[in-house]
């Protein structure tokens, strides 16, 4: 019998306990041994929980128990979760986590520690909820040089954008729905401002390019400026607005970004809706492969955690197979120099003059008419390819034109 402890009895932690109980016989069959939760650590009280007999507030009940060989960390954040993870690894206990913040921040150190102590540190559930993506990147795609990763990596924001598009719901109502479904982080700022997706693309990129990608260096924008009007323009462009995390290998450096983008209907990511996530990985032998599934929520995420537990039980005598090299040189491309097309929406008091100014500043542009929008004082267009820096300069210049009262929004267009 393999005993494990669950640290943090929140949505994912309680899901892990539930999945282990519910699928006990198939887990035993696949792992080759019975797996049982011996302790659950949480400082909160859960008097009505079916697992109350396993709950403790005393960390020593976990760390001083030699029978507990696997620790599941579902606390979240990089505070106490970091301390507990180091403590467990130092004691020779394997650790499984869904904590993307911790992996993205301290991944290199924790993976090294796990290797030194001869144990596993696995984090399949940290990206894409229930979608297998970490293990395929490490193992099934290992023969490829990976040159790009593009994904919808946050279930909460994809759910919000889908609700706005399909049901015409406003942002706040859609966010409330995501919270009620258990998709959002305890503080949903990390979801809607893009930081959650940023940590996830940093983790995927670190694996894809075999070197640590520091999430703090990834330019990140969330979806708080996206309005129902933007969605109507997207419809007129035969596109959807999605929050996308992407990275590319450009020569020997890495370019990464998180932002809302216009995704044309032909792109496989455009039909990924609700809480679903999808990740397109481009390899030099395989070409493109897409991974798709539920990106957040209690049981999908718990199932990825339990899969890691089973993997550990099957390989108890080996240690963590992964290390992230930290490049001492700057390994990120200057994002301001990278080119792309932009959708730009402006408010104007004189459409003829505004049109002339936009064409002078942006050259070849395509004007977009949104049928359902009645406003006479608004115009929108898609630019040709511009670097981020050139686009910023042109937007500032456009803002200074008399006939343009405001540049309302600008959204990148995802290249095919
Ligand atoms: N808040 C995250 C999301 C949970 O919405 O994707 C899964 O990592």
């Amino acid at each position: 019998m393999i005993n494990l402890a669950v640290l943090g009895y929140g949505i994912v932690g309680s899901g892990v306990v539930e999945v282990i109980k519910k699928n006990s016989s198939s887990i035993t069959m696949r792992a080759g041994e019975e797996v049982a939760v011996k302790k659950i650590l949480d400082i909160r009280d859960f008097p009505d929980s079916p697992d109350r007999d396993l709950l403790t507030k005393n960390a020593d009940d976990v760390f001083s128990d030699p029978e507990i060989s696997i620790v599941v960390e579902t606390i979240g954040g990089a505070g106490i979760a970091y301390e507990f993870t180091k403590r467990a690894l130092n004691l020779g206990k394997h650790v499984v986590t869904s904590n993307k913040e911790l992996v993205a921040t301290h991944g290199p150190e924790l993976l090294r520690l796990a290797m030194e102590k001869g144990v596993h540190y696995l984090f399949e559930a940290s990206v894409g909820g229930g979608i297998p993506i970490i293990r395929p990147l490490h193992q099934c795609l290992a023969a490829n040089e990976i040159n790009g990763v593009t994904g919808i990596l946050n279930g909460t924001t994809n759910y919000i954008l889908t609700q706005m598009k399909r049901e015409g719901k406003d942002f706040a109502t859609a966010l409330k729905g995501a919270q009620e479904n258990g998709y959002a982080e305890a503080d949903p700022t990390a979801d809607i401002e893009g930081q959650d997706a940023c940590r996830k693309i940093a983790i995927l990129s670190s694996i894809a390019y075999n070197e640590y990608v520091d999430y703090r260096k990834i330019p990140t924008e969330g979806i708080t400026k996206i309005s129902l009007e933007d969605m109507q323009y997207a419809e007129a462009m035969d596109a959807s607005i999605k929050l996308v995390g992407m990275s590319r290998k450009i020569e020997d450096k890495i370019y990464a970004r998180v932002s809302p983008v216009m995704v044309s209907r032909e792109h496989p990511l455009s039909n990924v809706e609700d809480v679903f996530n999808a990740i397109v990985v481009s390899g030099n032998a395989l070409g493109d492969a897409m991974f798709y599934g539920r990106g957040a929520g209690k049981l999908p995420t718990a199932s990825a955690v339990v899969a890691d537990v089973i993997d550990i039980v099957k390989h108890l005598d080996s240690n963590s197979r992964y290390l992230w090299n930290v490049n001492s040189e700057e390994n990120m491309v200057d994002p301001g120099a990278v080119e792309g097309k932009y959708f730009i929406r402006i408010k104007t008091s004189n459409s003829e003059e505004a049109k002339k100014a936009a064409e002078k500043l942006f050259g070849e542009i395509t004007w977009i008419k949104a049928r359902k929008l009645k406003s006479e004082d608004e115009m929108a267009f898609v630019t040709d390819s511009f670097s981020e820096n050139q686009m910023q300069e042109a937007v500032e210049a456009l803002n200074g034109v008399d006939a343009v009262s405001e540049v309302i929004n600008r959204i990148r267009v995802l290249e095919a």
Side-chain angles (χ1 to χ4, degrees), residues 342-358:
Y342 296 85
F343 161 82
I344 295 180
R345 223 177 109 204
I346 57 177
K347 204 177 245 323
T348 172
S349 49
N350 181 336
S351 55
E352 272 316 300
E353 286 304 312
K355 200 168 172 208
K356 274 193 223 153

Side-chain angles (χ1 to χ4, degrees), residues 233 343-346 366-369 378-382:
Y233 282 108
F343 161 82
I344 295 180
R345 223 177 109 204
I346 57 177
T366 310
W367 292 95
I368 311 293
K369 281 246 167 301
E378 227 190 89
M379 300 167 80
F381 57 91
V382 174

Side-chain angles (χ1 to χ4, degrees), residues 100 153-156 183-185 191 196 200 295-296:
K100 49 259 159 154
L153 299 169
N154 182 269
T156 300
Y183 303 152
E185 298 302 300
D191 294 298
D196 179 78
K200 291 169 175 167

